[in-house]
Amino acid sequence: MAVERKVYVLYTGGTFGMKKDDKGKLAPQTLDVIKDFIIRHTILYERKPGESDEDVWNRIVTPDGLITLYHQLAEDDPKAKSQKYKVLYRMDSLPTPIDSSNVTPKDWSDMAERIKEHMCVYDGFVIIHGTDTMAYTSSALSFILGKIYKPVIVTGAQMPIFHPRTDGLDNFVGSMLMAGYFCDREMLHQVMLYDLNKLYQGNRVVKFDCDSFSVFDSPDVFPIASLETTIKLYKHKMVEPIFPPSLKSKAFTRTETPQVRILRFFPGITENYVRGILVGADGVILETYGSGNVPDVAWLKECLTEADKRGVLMLNCTQVYRGTVLPIYATFEAHVIPGYDITPEAAMTKMIWVLNSDFNPETKRKILKHSLYGESCAPSYCPVS
């Protein structure tokens, strides 16, 4: 008897599910249109001799709407092949699919709630998302969901699945393969991002190219898996997240998004500019030079010290594509927290998550100083220390 695995697919919007309208502009399609296309694509690989399209449809789609994943994918996992795994999945969507440039922290909470609602029923999760803010979403979900025991994979496309040259179907198939057939691998029990045959840790990625199919990279850590002619899991190269045992992850508790701002340094930056960003902020991400350096001027230290006294949380990350901020520069004296090798996307979402939580001020600072879910090489969070 086949071993069944179930995957919950949440379509949130993005280029993946768009099609050109009569005016030649990309327009989002309904979930039913997307499901119909994917099922018909599956039929191409599942048809047995003498079967009609209707015969295959009735065989691979259950009466309650679960869809059978391509059987051939079991050949990529020796364990699944020997135990005759069968992966079924259900496709769902947000009430109104959105362009990822319109995503807000509330949407992150909504996505997380969907996953939590179905956590006991499904073995893996795939979120289809626009690529523009996908790295923000995968980072945010890692903090909101915290320690999980099933894979959650965010993926999308540069070209719609309805285009002959789409990358969307490959990304979908790869994500489903890892979330379904490989769902019992403990190293995959976290939030991840899948793009062009690579599976990345979700809070370690950046979007670095908007013109190619290779959209994302993980500057400071190795991918979790590579899906080429063979599938390789890089456990020996992976910096495994250390999940704090007594820190319970929390969804956002505030109805309004906190005032989190970005202070990017540049030659000739002025005091008025810096004060304009710091005044009224709840949290600030400093994007500094190199390993955390800033101009050595008295007014800057004064600005940062005043902000610290007002209770503004400040996290320092580098402008450089790859590198580490160390607690050795003047910003550290003004209680600016070194972010080590955290990405700007993870820094921003972590700051929003921390400020939205009901942790006390001391705990918030401590959380920002440490790595909770593998988001940086900072010392691991230890609640009792």
Side-chain angles (χ1 to χ4, degrees):
M1 184 176 178
V3 177
E4 283 193 355
R5 293 286 184 266
K6 293 182 181 179
V7 178
Y8 179 79
V9 181
L10 179 62
Y11 170 64
T12 68
T15 301
F16 180 96
M18 290 185 172
K19 185 186 290 189
K20 285 188 176 181
D21 60 18
D22 295 339
K23 298 180 180 178
K25 295 183 178 180
L26 287 175
Q29 303 301 297
T30 65
L31 180 64
D32 287 341
V33 171
I34 295 169
K35 282 171 57 177
D36 181 83
F37 184 87
I38 292 176
I39 292 172
R40 293 189 183 283
H41 185 267
T42 306
I43 288 174
L44 297 176
Y45 296 88
E46 296 297 316
R47 190 194 308 275
K48 296 179 180 179
E51 281 190 322
S52 65
D53 283 3
E54 184 178 1
D55 292 334
V56 186
W57 186 298
N58 291 333
R59 180 165 56 81
I60 66 174
V61 181
T62 67
D64 60 347
L66 289 170
I67 305 166
T68 305
L69 189 63
Y70 311 81
H71 282 101
Q72 290 181 49
L73 294 180
E75 298 175 5
D76 290 313
D77 181 5
K79 182 178 179 181
K81 187 176 181 180
S82 64
Q83 296 186 12
K84 298 182 179 180
Y85 273 29
K86 180 180 182 180
V87 176
L88 302 171
Y89 64 96
R90 183 179 304 282
M91 296 194 74
D92 200 358
S93 73
L94 294 179
T96 304
I98 51 178
D99 186 293
S100 72
S101 61
N102 293 325
V103 165
T104 68
K106 183 182 182 305
D107 296 309
W108 299 333
S109 290
D110 291 344
M111 294 176 203
E113 285 305 311
R114 288 292 189 96
I115 293 170
K116 290 177 181 178
E117 288 172 8
H118 296 90
M119 189 64 76
C120 295
V121 179
Y122 294 88
D123 302 288
F125 299 84
V126 170
I127 298 175
I128 299 172
H129 194 288
T131 61
D132 282 346
T133 60
M134 190 187 294
Y136 288 94
T137 294
S138 60
S139 293
L141 289 176
S142 75
F143 298 115
I144 300 173
L145 293 174
K147 175 59 179 172
I148 52 178
Y149 299 92
K150 296 175 182 181
V152 175
I153 302 175
V154 188
T155 193
Q158 287 289 86
M159 297 183 74
I161 58 172
F162 306 103
H163 192 287
R165 290 200 304 116
T166 182
D167 57 324
L169 287 173
D170 284 344
N171 285 341
F172 177 74
V173 170
S175 298
M176 294 296 295
L177 171 62
M178 302 309 290
Y181 287 112
F182 288 79
C183 65
D184 58 350
R185 305 303 203 278
E186 188 176 352
M187 64 181 290
L188 302 185
H189 294 171
Q190 58 177 302
V191 179
M192 296 163 288
L193 185 150
Y194 186 91
D195 174 59
L196 195 65
N197 305 323
K198 295 287 192 300
L199 186 64
Y200 300 99
Q201 188 174 320
N203 54 24
R204 285 287 203 155
V205 288
V206 296
K207 182 175 181 178
F208 77 102
D209 196 333
C210 61
D211 292 329
S212 97
F213 287 143
S214 179
V215 184
F216 294 93
D217 191 23
S218 184
D220 293 290
V221 294
F222 212 74
I224 294 173
S226 173
L227 284 72
E228 305 293 344
T229 54
T230 59
I231 295 177
K232 298 177 181 178
L233 301 179
Y234 298 113
K235 185 174 179 62
H236 64 294
K237 295 184 178 181
M238 178 181 169
V239 180
E240 295 194 46
I242 300 176
F243 299 97
S246 62
L247 177 64
K248 185 178 180 181
S249 276
K250 305 177 182 183
F252 296 155
T253 57
R254 287 170 49 168
T255 56
E256 295 182 1
T257 302
Q259 285 291 316
V260 178
R261 300 173 184 175
I262 296 175
L263 174 55
R264 184 178 178 88
F265 284 84
F266 54 88
I269 193 169
T270 66
E271 180 177 356
N272 286 341
Y273 180 89
V274 172
R275 288 191 181 278
I277 291 175
L278 294 176
V279 172
D282 297 313
V284 177
I285 308 301
L286 282 71
E287 294 188 358
T288 55
Y289 305 130
S291 296
N293 211 352
V294 295
D296 185 14
V297 289
W299 61 258
L300 178 57
K301 184 176 180 180
E302 181 182 312
C303 287
L304 296 176
T305 302
E306 290 175 359
D308 175 60
K309 290 179 179 178
R310 293 195 301 269
V312 180
L313 292 175
M314 294 174 285
L315 184 62
N316 188 355
C317 62
T318 180
Q319 297 180 9
V320 182
Y321 179 68
R322 179 180 290 112
T324 305
V325 168
L326 300 172
I328 59 176
Y329 289 104
T331 55
F332 187 64
E333 299 174 8
H335 294 165
V336 175
I337 300 167
Y340 292 81
D341 59 352
I342 194 168
T343 66
E345 291 88 344
M348 173 64 74
T349 53
K350 183 177 183 179
M351 180 68 79
I352 294 173
W353 177 74
V354 166
L355 289 170
N356 260 300
S357 71
D358 55 7
F359 299 122
N360 63 53
E362 181 182 353
T363 301
K364 289 179 180 180
R365 283 192 63 84
K366 188 173 181 180
I367 289 172
L368 290 174
K369 287 180 179 180
H370 295 81
S371 177
L372 267 73
Y373 306 119
E375 68 273 11
S376 75
C377 67
S380 296
Y381 182 84
C382 183
V384 297
S385 65

